[in-house]
Amino acid sequence: MTVLTLTPGAVTLADLARVYFDEAPVRLDRAAKPAVDRAAAAIRAAAEGAVPVYGVNTGFGKLASITIAPKDTATLQRNLILSHCCGVGEPIARRHARMVMALKLLSLGRGASGVRWELVELLENMLEKGVTPVIPAQGSVGASGDLAPLAHMTAVLIGAGFAEYKGETLPGPEALAKAGLKPIPLGPKEGLAFINGTQFSTAFALAGLFEAWRCAQGALVTSALSTDAIMGSTAPLQPEIHSLRGHAGQIEAAAFLRQLLDGSVIRESHREGDSRVQDPYCIRCQPQVTGAAMDVLRMAARTLEIEANAATDNPLVLTEAGMIVSGGNFHAEPVGFAADMIALAVSEIGAIAQRRVALMVDPVLSFDLPAFLTPAPGLNSGYMIAEVTTAALMSENKHLATPTVTDSTPTSANQEDHVSMAAHGARRLMRMVENLDRILGVELLCAAQGIDFRAPLVTSTPLQNVMKRLRKDVATLGDDRYLAPDLETAARLIASGEIARATGLALPQVSP
């Protein structure tokens, strides 16, 4: 795979999406090296001096008042990493771990951390050769950095911990050796530079963002299918309605829905003489809800793009000012807010989609579709319990959408007395998008079934393309069958983006 060269401070969401989805290996633009070298030289000078500099020749956290002798600075950094390897829980997925590593590279590449270039190269080589540290999922409160997970990542660089290499989980030194790499002992401040930072929280927030955006694209498609399945009106998509309000996401969602439904024979068949005056909100207000969620996701995206390019350890080396200064860039509050925003958007996309599913299975509301979308109600239950499953998933996501950033607690003997909880706020997004994939997958199945019942009338060309893609893997439901595989297949088609791409249309992008 081609190595992706990234410029610290100028990385885009498109770059980060490649790191996440493609697991692309990463190298820093070599123009970053002089700044990294200057900061490393400043740290070496400080370590040899008599003036206390936090984390260079002092202890950490509440122990910052204790001075460390120059001969012990290397031991200090090694002890820091080993003592902070206190993560618990299941190891995070490989792609998430690689995203953490890439984000740490970007932060170090800003030239404010004081690490040697050879450590940058080791991290790059680990990415390229596929040495992935085993990082437990739990243990970070998202302030003073993602200390425990980043310590587990860093442990492999110094010849400790564990790593995955070619499908095997091995002790860190063995994994490095098999890849032709060697561990590097840490110098002054280098351990602190690696574990102070928001890269774990940011990696999961970005992953949640990318997956949520695919869900938003899929939701526009499934909602258009549902509109045709219940013979809904396209009048609420009139452009002037949305321009009068002015929200970009709403305007874009309405425009895309118009494209999706343009040319539908089903729609034209009831344009005149339809006794219904208005559709329920889950049909009529799709642009206002999904479009608003798109706006929220884009706001979160901007925050996370900034954070991905940030130097977030402590202290920071300000080479032009000739200073090494303690600050608080490790505090993941911006990431925590972004994760909460993404969670709210995911929850709401699922909430309105679930109501469309409920609409389609209800013969009172579905405009003459058979009960539970089965050709023989009574003998068959059709999608009755599939709809119940979506209700369960929707409710679960509502609970998971509760903000985490408001839940602070003091740690480290009250030295770190306000924390962001961004790490688990971002991690929960994976569970939420999986739930949403399944909600939208059920909507896809129900809407396609409903459109099949409208034959010989047909939907639009883009939506016919979607139907063809679905029917390659999932047949129209006749008599009841074992449905679990159908639900998983439909969810996979949503999650992969295949359903949205099957339209053949240019899709809304998270960076408009």
Side-chain angles (χ1 to χ4, degrees):
M1 183 181 294
T2 303
V3 175
L4 183 61
T5 299
L6 301 179
T7 301
V11 171
T12 66
L13 287 174
D15 295 327
L16 297 166
R18 279 195 60 194
V19 176
Y20 177 66
F21 286 118
D22 300 340
E23 296 189 23
V26 169
R27 286 192 178 275
L28 296 186
D29 188 322
R30 266 33 195 171
K33 186 176 185 298
V36 172
D37 289 341
R38 285 194 296 271
I43 289 296
R44 283 196 301 274
E48 294 166 0
V51 177
V53 178
Y54 175 71
V56 177
N57 51 16
T58 74
F60 306 106
K62 198 74 170 179
L63 305 176
S65 60
I66 299 175
T67 301
I68 305 299
K71 66 181 178 64
D72 292 327
T73 55
T75 302
L76 173 71
Q77 299 300 315
R78 182 175 177 83
N79 287 349
L80 173 71
I81 300 305
L82 299 179
S83 68
H84 283 52
C85 285
C86 292
V88 297
E90 293 297 314
I92 66 174
R94 172 188 162 100
R95 67 171 51 184
H96 296 129
R98 288 177 64 84
M99 178 67 90
V100 173
M101 296 163 74
L103 291 172
K104 178 52 73 175
L105 270 176
L106 290 171
S107 182
L108 299 177
R110 291 300 301 271
S113 300
V115 303
R116 289 165 293 161
W117 186 257
E118 62 189 286
L119 283 164
V120 169
E121 290 180 318
L122 178 55
L123 200 52
E124 290 175 335
N125 289 331
M126 288 169 62
L127 279 166
E128 185 171 359
K129 294 177 181 293
V131 178
T132 307
V134 174
I135 303 174
Q138 296 168 282
S140 174
V141 295
S144 200
D146 292 316
L147 295 172
L150 292 177
H152 282 276
M153 180 198 77
T154 309
V156 178
L157 281 79
I158 65 172
F162 292 87
E164 183 269 329
Y165 180 68
K166 293 188 175 181
E168 286 187 278
T169 298
L170 304 167
E174 187 177 341
L176 289 175
K178 286 196 170 188
L181 303 173
K182 294 180 180 180
I184 298 175
L186 298 174
K189 191 193 173 284
E190 288 177 333
L192 197 59
F194 269 88
I195 69 170
N196 256 184
T198 66
Q199 287 74 39
F200 180 90
S201 298
T202 304
F204 273 92
L206 282 165
L209 171 70
F210 296 144
E211 300 286 2
W213 191 261
R214 279 192 173 178
C215 286
Q217 292 173 329
L220 290 171
V221 176
T222 58
S223 64
L225 280 168
S226 297
T227 299
D228 246 8
I230 62 105
M231 288 189 158
S233 174
T234 55
L237 302 179
Q238 190 72 18
E240 291 83 356
I241 294 174
H242 307 286
S243 62
L244 280 167
R245 197 173 199 187
H247 291 296
Q250 177 180 329
I251 292 168
E252 187 174 7
F256 191 62
L257 287 166
R258 288 195 301 273
Q259 284 184 282
L260 286 168
L261 287 160
D262 184 44
S264 168
V265 177
I266 295 174
R267 173 63 186 115
E268 294 307 317
S269 72
H270 64 96
R271 193 177 288 276
E272 302 293 335
D274 193 330
S275 61
R276 297 169 296 172
V277 178
Q278 295 184 132
D279 292 317
Y281 288 178
C282 65
I283 297 295
R284 196 184 346 150
C285 299
Q286 293 170 52
Q288 288 82 356
V289 177
T290 305
M294 289 163 61
D295 282 338
V296 168
L297 290 174
R298 283 171 172 157
M299 285 186 270
R302 181 60 185 141
T303 295
L304 295 175
E305 187 175 61
I306 291 170
E307 190 72 9
N309 283 286
T312 57
D313 62 282
N314 180 61
L316 291 173
V317 184
L318 311 180
T319 53
E320 290 189 7
M323 302 168 64
I324 302 172
V325 184
S326 287
N329 281 5
F330 51 71
H331 201 298
E333 195 83 354
V335 182
F337 276 123
D340 283 345
M341 293 164 67
I342 295 167
L344 291 170
V346 168
S347 181
E348 281 299 275
I349 292 170
I352 195 170
Q354 198 283 326
R355 297 318 304 155
R356 293 191 295 267
V357 174
L359 183 72
M360 287 185 283
V361 301
D362 187 342
V364 176
L365 301 174
S366 65
F367 202 57
D368 298 330
L369 292 175
F372 303 107
L373 299 168
T374 175
L379 178 63
N380 293 291
S381 296
Y383 286 110
M384 178 190 293
I385 303 305
E387 184 270 328
V388 174
T389 296
T390 66
L393 296 172
M394 174 190 68
S395 182
E396 185 175 309
N397 271 3
K398 287 179 180 179
H399 286 277
L400 288 170
T402 301
T404 62
V405 78
T406 54
D407 185 23
S408 178
T409 190
T411 63
S412 194
N414 283 299
Q415 177 75 4
E416 297 155 9
D417 58 353
H418 182 278
V419 298
S420 71
M421 298 299 179
H424 68 265
R427 278 195 303 106
R428 55 132 179 213
L429 297 176
M430 295 298 98
R431 181 174 165 190
M432 292 186 72
V433 294
E434 287 174 3
N435 289 344
L436 181 53
D437 288 335
R438 290 182 167 90
I439 293 171
L440 295 174
V442 172
E443 183 181 15
L444 174 65
L445 295 172
C446 290
Q449 184 84 354
I451 287 174
D452 283 341
F453 279 120
R454 300 299 181 189
L457 301 177
V458 295
T459 188
S460 66
T461 298
L463 296 181
Q464 287 183 57
N465 292 337
V466 170
M467 296 276 290
K468 289 174 184 175
R469 177 62 193 90
L470 173 66
R471 293 298 178 227
K472 284 183 180 178
D473 294 336
V474 181
T476 301
L477 183 63
D479 290 336
D480 283 349
R481 62 176 182 248
Y482 187 63
L483 279 177
D486 292 359
L487 269 60
E488 288 304 309
T489 297
R492 174 181 56 78
L493 292 172
I494 293 290
S496 67
E498 288 184 69
I499 285 299
R501 291 193 297 273
T503 63
L505 301 174
L507 301 172
Q509 299 300 315
V510 70
S511 296

